[in-house]
Amino acid sequence: SHELTRALFHLPYCRIKSLVEADIAQRQTVATYLHHLAAVGVLAEVPVGREKLFLNLRFMELLEREDNGHQPFA
């Protein structure tokens, strides 16, 4: 969805709870979307305490670099 895409590029990480609170979708739907994106390599799933963070590693790389080059997804 448009809202999910916007959330993924607003910050380089997200939590299921944050997306549910933003009324993007119900918890199960958000979890399915994020797990699928992690499975195809768009996001990295990182356990933090009792929660999981989903990191957009390429977005983080882009934010950290001096140049604006990026590698396209396969």
Side-chain angles (χ1 to χ4, degrees), residues 8-58:
L8 292 176
F9 288 96
H10 180 71
L11 293 173
Y13 65 90
C14 61
R15 294 181 175 150
I16 293 172
K17 181 180 177 180
S18 301
L19 297 176
V20 171
E21 289 174 353
D23 287 330
I24 290 176
Q26 293 181 348
R27 182 173 183 78
Q28 184 61 40
T29 304
V30 168
T32 300
Y33 289 162
L34 294 178
H35 287 292
H36 179 70
L37 289 169
V40 298
V42 175
L43 301 177
E45 186 176 342
V46 178
V48 177
R50 296 178 65 188
E51 292 187 286
K52 292 181 183 174
L53 285 181
F54 291 85
L55 307 176
N56 187 336
L57 296 177
R58 293 203 179 176

Side-chain angles (χ1 to χ4, degrees), residues 62-63 65-71:
L62 186 61
L63 292 173
R65 293 174 117 179
E66 291 292 325
D67 64 354
N68 288 328
H70 65 87
Q71 297 294 329

